[in-house]
Amino acid sequence: MIRDITIGQYYSVDSTIHRLDPRVKILGTLAYMISLFTFRDFAGYAVAVLFFALVLALSKVPFSYAARGLKPIFILMAFTAFLNLFWTDGTVFFRVGALAVTWEGLYKMIYISLRLILLVLGSSLMTLTTTPNQLTDGLERIFGPLKVFRVPVHEMAMMMSIALRFIPILIEETNRIMKAQTARGADFESGNLLQRLRNMLPLLIPLFVSAIRRATDLALAMDARCYHGGAGRTKMYPLRYRVNDFVAYGCLVAYIVILRAVVWVCPW
Amino acid sequence: MKGLGSEKMMGESKPKPEKAKLMIDARGVTHEYSRRDAEGNVMGIIQAVDGVDLQVTPGEFVAVLGANGSGKSTLAKHINALLVPTEGTLYVDGKDTGNQENVLAIRQLAGMVFQNPDNQIVSNVVEEDVGFGPENIGVPSEKILERVEESLKSVGMYEYRKQSPNRLSGGQKQRVAIAGIMAMHPRCIVLDEATSMLDPSGRKNVLDTVRKLNREEGITVVLITHYMEEAVEADRIFVMRQGKVALSGTPREVFGKPEILEACRVELPDITKIGLGLRRAGLDIPKVVLTEEELLSCVTGSGAFPEKA
Ligand SMILES: Nc1ncnc2c1ncn2[C@@H]1O[C@H](COP(=O)(O)OP(=O)(O)OP(=O)(O)O)[C@@H](O)[C@H]1O
Ligand SMILES: [Mg+2]
């Protein structure tokens, strides 16, 4: 079940979206995420959902696959929805004991949940259609100018890509250790919060030891393959904007214009 | 003063012609690890490698055997300049590993495959991982693509180029790791127990790949292993014990000295053991039998068993 986390997992298929320059996808996702915070109207959400659906269709990633990214944040979503539903002032339309549900609360719950869902879906789609290497290349290029200020852009990009590579491996390891410790009588399910945290120790300690081991091994393997930082490094697939990328930027601008127009025109 | 350009990779080590003929030339290589306590004071010194002399010619396939802790990995890391000798010198293709300027050239020349398949793959896509080495040494983009294709084909993993390494078997991952090294156009590959985490078929696949590269492309191979069956096919075997080379020679010579091997805590290959057993039982079989075919022909030839029609 922990294996279902799709953030950072590449969905290998050939599509228009997959072939886009990662910079377009990163900046596009960022713009899309920011755009979600600029309105509260349902008409706006209709545009945002439509845009996402369009990109999803173009990407050939099955919806069920992209939606897997939602599972891990489900609790967070339920929690915020719950808070917003019961703790918003306004006209009461429904009462459960001491708790009052207001129209404003209901409205807020719906749009905040929608916003969260779209945020997660949008960023998952980016990582599903972009290999971690492309992602880091993109980030490295976007933030490249910061090197002037001695920001270790290349190193940070490399760290990120390695973290992404090892997420599934460490998750698998967590499952394995969990099973091994359960077989020895460890109990991860019962007890109060404090007890549960304490019970996590036999899981966390071996996990840390193994992660450090892996890190040492990997560092050695990278050294052995002549890795010596970003200086003098070439790229197998150097980033170059193509026609499609400019078209994509155009679509993004169109989306924002349409969104603003719709939000401005429609009252709800 | 002449030939300045062609010799710039040699660093400052005096280029003696006879040195360059050897792929690996270890002279009295010693490596000491100091064990420290919590405050960082030296508690003791372990001589992991102790005065090793070892010469490997280009195109040779050598195996290194030895018990746990005998210093095999430490020695292997010297060949790739991951470690530098605390005493003695080691030349790879005539370049002194102790000279900092040579390090990148040496790592490109002598690749290393490690034990754990997961912990040496850098990228989430097979072909990008294979391209990692060439990217590091600044190969132009189009050339990287060519090299990646060529080396993935040479290990038989070309059709997996777009896949995630997580979906590959251990043996396939190790072949990807080998491709990643081949893409740097090395002349030597060091495999440090590269097959020990694999199942028998994965092991066979990896070993076949290595043998093919050795035979067809003349890549020098240093194979560190605990599997005697893998060592049997080497040109030469080095057996290590407590940091020293205790025994070296062809497989026939080495496996012909069971007493020394026992002292090194190295077993004989199964076939050799069977051969010895049959010999003790009175069959006319030579002291060292290395392959199944050899044993069969001895057994049938000696008339001990009637040949099957
Ligand atoms: N980083 C280190 N720090 C201190 N001591 C070390 C270190 N690495 C290895 N040693 C010690 O050096 C000796 C040789 O270790 P090495 O790993 O080379 O053996 P090995 O022959 O590869 O063994 P194995 O078959 O288990 O892989 C051992 O006694 C080991 O404890
Ligand atoms: Mg070892």
Side-chain angles (χ1 to χ4, degrees):
Chain A
M1 91 220 114
I2 321 184
R3 298 191 88 189
D4 293 339
I5 301 177
T6 54
I7 294 182
Q9 281 289 58
Y10 181 64
Y11 184 82
S12 178
V13 68
D14 191 32
S15 81
T16 327
I17 303 294
H18 282 75
R19 265 169 297 171
L20 285 181
D21 190 290
R23 284 170 290 179
V24 178
K25 287 185 264 189
I26 295 168
L27 294 175
T29 309
L30 202 67
Y32 182 72
M33 288 166 86
I34 292 172
S35 82
L36 292 174
F37 286 94
T38 60
F39 57 84
R40 297 171 166 204
D41 321 56
F42 286 113
Y45 280 109
V47 177
V49 168
L50 211 68
F51 184 67
F52 174 77
L54 208 77
V55 179
L56 183 74
L58 277 175
S59 75
K60 296 189 190 160
V61 175
F63 176 73
S64 58
Y65 210 87
R68 276 193 222 168
L70 290 174
K71 264 196 214 165
I73 66 141
F74 184 75
I75 300 211
L76 176 74
M77 251 168 54
F79 188 63
T80 35
F82 177 78
L83 280 187
N84 282 306
L85 189 61
F86 292 111
W87 273 276
T88 310
D89 293 330
T91 23
V92 176
F93 85 101
F94 189 74
R95 255 180 210 289
V96 205
L99 296 173
V101 178
T102 61
W103 283 110
E104 285 80 359
L106 187 69
Y107 173 70
K108 208 167 165 191
M109 176 195 90
I110 293 175
Y111 85 69
I112 286 188
S113 303
L114 266 174
R115 193 180 274 172
L116 264 175
I117 290 172
L118 286 176
L119 280 175
V120 172
L121 285 180
S123 50
S124 306
L125 192 59
M126 178 180 74
T127 51
L128 282 167
T129 59
T130 321
T131 67
N133 249 23
Q134 286 175 330
L135 212 59
T136 31
D137 278 7
L139 284 173
E140 201 179 336
R141 285 289 288 277
I142 290 171
F143 291 107
L146 293 182
K147 278 181 199 158
V148 182
F149 305 111
R150 303 199 159 219
V151 180
V153 178
H154 168 79
E155 285 73 9
M156 283 159 73
M158 184 54 91
M159 269 161 56
M160 201 192 86
S161 108
I162 289 171
L164 287 175
R165 146 112 181 92
F166 278 89
I167 284 172
I169 294 176
L170 288 179
I171 287 172
E172 211 165 288
E173 189 129 299
T174 313
N175 279 339
R176 200 167 45 228
I177 298 173
M178 235 169 170
K179 276 189 200 132
Q181 303 289 41
T182 313
R184 291 183 191 135
D187 182 3
F188 299 111
E189 246 94 78
S190 58
N192 61 27
L193 195 65
L194 202 71
Q195 280 169 332
R196 277 202 208 189
L197 275 180
R198 216 186 34 223
N199 290 348
M200 288 299 253
L201 277 184
L203 174 65
L204 290 180
I205 291 171
L207 195 64
F208 261 84
V209 170
S210 138
I212 289 168
R213 234 199 109 86
R214 284 180 192 279
T216 329
D217 278 8
L218 187 74
L220 204 65
M222 285 170 72
D223 266 345
R225 286 166 76 183
C226 292
Y227 182 71
H228 56 288
R233 213 165 177 263
T234 48
K235 294 281 178 192
M236 179 156 137
Y237 294 116
L239 297 183
R240 250 179 248 123
Y241 279 128
R242 280 172 240 270
V243 183
N244 269 356
D245 299 311
F246 294 113
V247 175
Y249 276 130
C251 292
L252 194 67
V253 172
Y255 156 73
I256 290 170
V257 170
I258 293 173
L259 179 73
R260 293 318 306 163
V262 167
V263 168
W264 192 55
V265 171
C266 293
W268 22 266
Chain B
M1 281 294 105
K2 322 154 236 160
L4 213 69
S6 62
E7 274 179 20
K8 73 173 196 302
M9 296 294 260
M10 302 291 282
E12 70 199 24
S13 66
K14 300 134 254 156
K16 283 184 200 159
E18 45 99 25
K19 248 187 231 164
K21 284 215 189 79
L22 290 173
M23 192 66 236
I24 299 164
D25 184 3
R27 303 186 171 192
V29 169
T30 298
H31 195 92
E32 291 171 349
Y33 287 113
S34 36
R35 265 216 308 233
R36 289 168 193 280
D37 61 15
E39 276 95 52
N41 307 314
V42 178
M43 273 168 50
I45 285 175
I46 306 169
Q47 297 234 326
V49 172
D50 187 4
V52 166
D53 286 304
L54 181 148
Q55 276 78 33
V56 180
T57 54
E60 221 179 344
F61 190 125
V62 303
V64 180
L65 307 177
N68 292 124
S70 57
K72 306 179 297 293
S73 299
T74 309
L75 180 66
K77 283 175 193 156
H78 281 82
I79 301 173
N80 198 269
L82 289 169
L83 291 177
V84 224
T86 37
E87 261 170 67
T89 17
L90 191 135
Y91 300 94
V92 175
D93 197 31
K95 297 178 186 53
D96 182 352
T97 58
N99 184 346
Q100 194 57 37
E101 287 167 35
N102 289 337
V103 166
L104 280 186
I106 288 170
R107 289 187 183 161
Q108 182 256 309
L109 267 173
M112 186 143 172
V113 184
F114 297 87
Q115 182 173 21
N116 190 319
D118 276 320
N119 299 358
Q120 54 187 317
I121 293 183
V122 183
S123 173
N124 248 346
V125 181
V126 166
E127 63 168 4
E128 286 181 11
D129 185 74
V130 177
F132 180 73
E135 284 180 340
N136 289 337
I137 52 178
V139 177
S141 305
E142 321 80 64
K143 286 274 186 309
I144 299 182
L145 287 173
E146 270 170 38
R147 286 182 178 206
V148 167
E149 180 179 336
E150 157 201 300
S151 48
L152 274 175
K153 278 181 179 159
S154 75
V155 299
M157 289 296 293
Y158 187 62
E159 63 260 53
Y160 299 93
R161 66 191 177 282
K162 297 282 182 196
Q163 281 210 18
S164 154
N166 291 333
R167 304 207 176 146
L168 303 180
S169 72
Q172 289 173 324
K173 282 182 208 164
Q174 288 300 52
R175 274 148 70 201
V176 169
I178 294 173
I181 286 160
M182 288 306 293
M184 295 172 76
H185 288 178
R187 296 197 38 216
C188 174
I189 294 188
V190 183
L191 297 105
D192 189 358
E193 296 182 34
T195 58
S196 63
M197 291 175 79
L198 308 181
D199 61 11
S201 84
R203 207 153 67 216
K204 185 175 177 307
N205 265 332
V206 169
L207 218 70
D208 286 347
T209 308
V210 172
R211 264 192 226 109
K212 183 181 140 230
L213 293 175
N214 174 251
R215 230 177 303 124
E216 293 174 10
E217 312 202 14
I219 304 283
T220 311
V221 174
V222 178
L223 180 78
I224 298 173
T225 183
H226 284 295
Y227 294 101
M228 298 310 132
E229 284 66 30
E230 295 178 357
V232 159
E233 300 195 32
D235 296 324
R236 264 189 316 148
I237 295 179
F238 293 87
V239 183
M240 294 197 60
R241 185 191 180 197
Q242 291 168 3
K244 295 192 177 68
V245 175
L247 185 59
S248 70
T250 63
R252 207 165 291 282
E253 288 164 3
V254 166
F255 291 126
K257 293 171 181 147
E259 312 79 30
I260 304 182
L261 287 179
E262 197 170 333
C264 300
R265 286 186 286 138
V266 169
E267 294 221 331
L268 289 174
D270 288 343
I271 293 288
T272 316
K273 275 192 236 164
I274 295 172
L276 271 181
L278 291 176
R279 183 183 159 93
R280 242 176 272 130
L283 289 190
D284 176 24
I285 283 176
K287 201 173 160 213
V288 188
V289 188
L290 292 180
T291 60
E292 237 174 274
E293 294 80 53
E294 230 179 283
L295 183 64
L296 263 179
S297 75
C298 289
V299 169
T300 49
S302 70
F305 298 107
E307 211 163 333
K308 272 194 194 136

